[in-house]
């Protein structure tokens, strides 16, 4: 589906559909969760909110899986398979 900018951002008192960090027209950030309602601004009153960043509840701590980090004692792999049938390309022909 092609979006041409005709979508409207949610406004205050509408329900939040996606967990995330939202900003209002003046740049105030709010962490909102699905099911809550968008708050009204103290000075602006009813305001428009824009999703800036999704919030994910990940089980990891933001570090690379230790199994994917190269080790000093890892051995280099042998010859590379370049033939589609799995034959090794011989350099000694």
């Amino acid at each position: 589906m092609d979006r041409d900018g005709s979508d409207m951002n949610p406004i205050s008192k509408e329900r939040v559909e996606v967990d995330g960090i939202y900003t209002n027209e003046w740049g105030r950030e709010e962490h909102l969760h699905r099911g809550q309602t968008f708050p009204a601004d103290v000075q602006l009153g009813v305001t428009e909110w824009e999703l800036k960043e999704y919030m994910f509840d990940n089980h990891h701590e933001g570090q690379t899986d230790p199994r994917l980090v190269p080790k000093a004692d890892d051995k280099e792999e042998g010859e590379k398979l370049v033939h589609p049938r799995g034959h090794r390309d011989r350099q000694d022909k």
Side-chain angles (χ1 to χ4, degrees):
M1 186 171 171
D2 193 15
R3 294 190 176 197
D4 57 359
S6 61
D7 292 339
M8 293 179 60
N9 289 330
I11 60 171
S12 299
K13 299 184 182 176
E14 289 185 4
R15 294 183 80 68
V16 177
E17 295 181 7
V18 178
D19 293 351
I21 299 172
Y22 292 85
T23 58
N24 68 0
E25 297 171 39
W26 282 7
R28 187 179 117 215
E29 289 188 352
E30 284 285 331
H31 296 265
L32 299 172
H33 299 280
R34 192 170 142 196
Q36 291 180 320
T37 56
F38 288 100
D41 191 73
V42 177
Q43 295 175 334
L44 287 175
V46 175
T47 183
E48 190 174 273
W49 293 89
E50 182 179 356
L51 177 64
K52 289 296 182 181
E53 184 178 333
Y54 290 106
M55 282 194 304
F56 294 106
D57 186 18
N58 290 333
H59 63 278
H60 61 79
E61 299 170 359
Q63 298 178 353
T64 304
D65 187 339
R67 296 173 292 179
L68 301 175
V69 177
K71 311 289 187 290
D73 60 346
D74 282 348
K75 297 178 183 173
E76 287 289 321
E77 294 193 19
E79 297 178 24
K80 182 177 176 183
L81 296 177
V82 293
H83 194 275
R85 293 189 181 181
H87 298 289
R88 297 184 188 274
D89 187 22
R90 302 275 178 167
Q91 299 294 332
D92 57 342
K93 288 184 182 179

